[in-house]
Amino acid sequence: MWPPQHHSPTCVVILFSIHFVLKAEKLFKKQGISHDVIPVPREISSDCGMAVEFPCREIEKVSELLASADIRIAGLYRRDGRDSFQVISRS
Amino acid sequence: MDSKPAPIYVDNAATSFPKPREVIDTISSLLGGMSLSPGRSAHRYSLECSRIIFEARETLASFFNCPDSSRIAFACNVTEALNAGILGLFGTALHPGDHVITTPFEHNSVMRPLRYLEKNAGLTLSILPLSDEGEVMVSELPRLMRDNTRLIVVNHVSNVTGSVVDLEEIGRLKGECLLMVDAAQSAGVFSIDVKKMHIDMLAFTGHKSLFGPTGSGGFYLREGLALQPLKMGGTGSNSETEVQPDFMPDIYEAGTPNTLGIAGLGSGVEFIVKTGLAAIRGHEQRLCALFLDGLRQLKNVTVFGPGAGRQRAAVVSLRVKGKSESEVAFRLDREFGVMVRAGLHCAPAAHRAIGTFPAGTVRFSFGYFNTEKDVATCLRGLDMIAAR
């Protein structure tokens, strides 16, 4: 099923490289934050990389987690619908 | 014709053999199990490969006490890593007229790029002297340093004599200079801590004491340092731009990587961590001491390298009186099954320094999987070859 079906609103974080996506994935797993590693949505960027999608209620925890691991955020978005995203922040 | 003697591999300084079972299993299950192009597509195979490479990077970072695993870049061997470092620093931290200090024990993978820059780019080069013990005199570093010394390049362990350089002392004495370390022979045997030793760039190969396959290796680059990348191309990141990414590791890893090699290297380092670096070093040094003891009983054999009681790796260079190095190596293989390497070991400066240029030496290099019985066969073979 695409996009992943979430019961609560989700956010998508774009990082600078697959290395940081996987570092984030490892941290999310460790902290028990539910997440999906997804291709960067075309509506956000034409980059062929990956991104991490997670419930928006975790946004503060996620921001702190990434900052504490020195993972820079390239962009943070709220999913408004299947193909629609709202910018929260962008570097 | 006699039947062939059982093979005894004592050329571990060239490449380690055998590899741990875990390394073989990792590589074969991957090769038969999935496509191997990481970071390029979004499907499960690609993502799984990316995770394997990520974990190998994390394992290596932790192994060298590197605080951020993104500062590890993979390369196809230590030669590529050292070239990426030496040639890549040129134009970023190294400029025409700058001074570089190195040691006589450098492999050609350091000497050739340095000599190239000396000849073509106006770098000047000084070489640390050797002590009577056959060790690099780190204490001479302050005397060789000039106002324009920018870089010190050091081979941690000589691939010719097994002599070890005190990296912590260099780290203490280097001042503002950058310290680049060639860990080809030492990684996986001696403890390397990039923070404690103030190492700015560490180049390693996968296929020697880290137990990975050939075609694997890489480097650590300290945060804040940048190299001019040797190659540019697809990284799976920032694909909308035609400019190479400026962040690690992607900046230095253009092109589909050696996924199998990196996975095997990761497995090799995990094997070392599980077995214990001290246990591996202890075993190799016991075999080396046994071999050196035996050599002292042999007539007509001259050993080159650090004296008794000095810190050393299990690499022993020797000559047999009246025999050419290639003849000794050939007969060891044919008559005793003992595989060694004869010649200059791609380190002509080292052989000049120890007085064995141009013929070189016969080099025995023991590994974790060698046994005391192997050492005994090496000694018996040498004794018989020296006698006739």
Side-chain angles (χ1 to χ4, degrees):
Chain A
M1 187 69 110
W2 180 256
Q5 302 298 294
H6 292 281
H7 299 298
S8 52
T10 62
C11 289
V12 173
V13 64
I14 312 289
L15 305 168
F16 280 91
S17 150
I18 184 75
H19 173 80
F20 297 104
V21 170
L22 297 175
K23 185 136 195 153
E25 180 189 47
K26 198 173 177 180
L27 293 170
F28 279 41
K29 273 184 193 159
K30 221 172 171 177
Q31 296 292 320
I33 301 170
S34 69
H35 64 279
D36 271 318
V37 174
I38 59 162
V40 171
R42 201 166 38 123
E43 297 74 21
I44 293 178
S45 160
S46 55
D47 189 90
C48 58
M50 305 296 285
V52 191
E53 184 162 17
F54 58 93
C56 290
R57 63 182 139 78
E58 304 274 24
I59 198 157
E60 267 182 42
K61 205 168 160 188
V62 163
S63 301
E64 279 169 26
L65 197 59
L66 297 179
S68 69
D70 284 330
I71 300 176
R72 284 195 304 137
I73 294 175
L76 190 57
Y77 300 82
R78 177 189 296 272
R79 190 190 279 276
D80 278 348
R82 188 189 166 98
D83 302 321
S84 155
F85 298 85
Q86 203 184 329
V87 183
I88 299 172
S89 69
R90 199 157 47 189
S91 79
Chain B
M1 192 87 182
D2 290 339
S3 62
K4 267 190 178 173
I8 294 174
Y9 186 80
V10 278
D11 196 14
N12 289 278
T15 192
S16 59
F17 180 83
K19 306 296 181 188
R21 188 70 240 169
E22 295 89 324
V23 173
I24 298 163
D25 289 347
T26 297
I27 292 173
S28 54
S29 69
L30 263 181
L31 185 58
M34 66 178 76
S35 72
L36 295 164
S37 175
R40 303 301 195 266
S41 316
H43 56 69
R44 71 192 71 177
Y45 285 167
S46 181
L47 195 52
E48 194 46 36
C49 281
S50 299
R51 287 195 185 100
I52 287 164
I53 289 178
F54 171 78
E55 283 304 334
R57 214 185 291 281
E58 293 258 293
T59 301
L60 277 152
S62 152
F63 189 64
F64 295 128
N65 195 29
C66 153
D68 171 4
S69 62
S70 75
R71 302 305 298 183
I72 301 274
F74 288 112
C76 70
N77 48 40
V78 71
T79 299
E80 188 181 70
L82 288 162
N83 273 264
I86 295 169
L87 301 176
L89 276 179
F90 195 75
T92 61
L94 211 52
H95 298 95
D98 282 349
H99 178 236
V100 177
I101 299 174
T102 189
T103 85
F105 281 150
E106 299 314 305
H107 190 275
N108 268 343
S109 52
V110 164
M111 278 303 186
R112 286 179 173 172
L114 283 180
R115 292 295 183 197
Y116 174 84
L117 291 178
E118 184 186 38
K119 186 177 174 205
N120 298 294
L123 278 194
T124 52
L125 201 57
S126 296
I127 301 196
L128 282 161
L130 291 190
S131 68
D132 295 340
E133 291 284 352
E135 290 173 339
V136 174
M137 292 180 76
V138 175
S139 57
E140 288 292 293
L141 198 56
R143 198 179 57 80
L144 291 186
M145 273 161 76
R146 306 176 191 163
D147 290 344
N148 62 342
T149 306
R150 297 278 174 267
L151 174 67
I152 301 165
V153 191
V154 177
N155 185 3
H156 189 189
V157 165
S158 166
N159 66 316
V160 174
T161 70
S163 164
V164 184
V165 167
D166 185 346
L167 290 182
E168 273 186 64
E169 194 185 350
I170 296 190
R172 273 195 301 274
L173 294 172
K174 77 183 185 101
E176 296 295 305
C177 299
L178 299 176
L179 172 57
M180 188 183 297
V181 174
D182 172 359
Q185 297 294 336
S186 62
V189 181
F190 291 94
S191 173
I192 297 174
D193 183 322
V194 295
K195 275 168 81 182
K196 200 163 110 191
M197 293 166 165
H198 303 285
I199 295 171
D200 297 288
M201 179 166 171
L202 178 80
F204 56 89
T205 195
H207 69 100
K208 299 184 197 272
S209 293
L210 293 179
F211 293 125
T214 49
S216 64
F219 60 85
Y220 153 80
L221 187 69
R222 176 175 59 75
E223 179 146 28
L225 262 184
L227 307 170
Q228 185 63 37
L230 284 190
K231 55 184 182 179
M232 301 186 201
T235 56
S237 52
N238 289 12
S239 300
E240 70 283 6
T241 143
E242 294 177 14
V243 176
Q244 184 75 359
D246 61 359
F247 50 83
M248 279 191 78
D250 300 33
I251 177 173
Y252 308 120
E253 291 187 353
T256 300
N258 177 6
T259 305
L260 281 178
I262 294 167
L265 168 56
S267 250
V269 177
E270 280 168 22
F271 171 83
I272 295 165
V273 172
K274 192 182 79 189
T275 310
L277 198 61
I280 290 173
R281 186 172 60 247
H283 177 73
E284 292 186 5
Q285 290 186 332
R286 258 192 309 282
L287 295 182
C288 185
L290 200 63
F291 185 57
L292 288 168
D293 274 351
L295 288 178
R296 276 189 276 277
Q297 319 299 321
L298 297 189
K299 282 186 192 138
N300 299 328
V301 173
T302 310
V303 179
F304 299 86
R310 309 295 300 180
Q311 169 90 300
R312 66 172 305 145
V315 176
V316 178
S317 254
L318 57 83
R319 274 180 168 178
V320 178
K321 194 178 173 187
K323 312 278 181 205
S324 78
E325 285 57 50
S326 52
E327 181 196 349
V328 173
F330 183 71
R331 287 186 58 191
L332 279 168
D333 182 19
R334 284 297 168 94
E335 296 171 27
F336 303 93
V338 172
M339 288 172 262
V340 296
R341 181 164 168 197
L344 291 173
H345 315 100
C346 299
H351 283 281
R352 280 196 185 90
I354 64 169
T356 50
F357 188 83
T361 53
V362 183
R363 183 186 70 184
F364 292 73
S365 46
F366 298 97
Y368 183 62
F369 295 107
N370 282 121
T371 62
E372 292 187 5
K373 203 175 149 203
D374 293 344
V375 174
T377 307
C378 291
L379 289 166
R380 188 167 53 87
L382 271 174
D383 192 25
M384 292 179 74
I385 290 167
R388 61 182 162 85

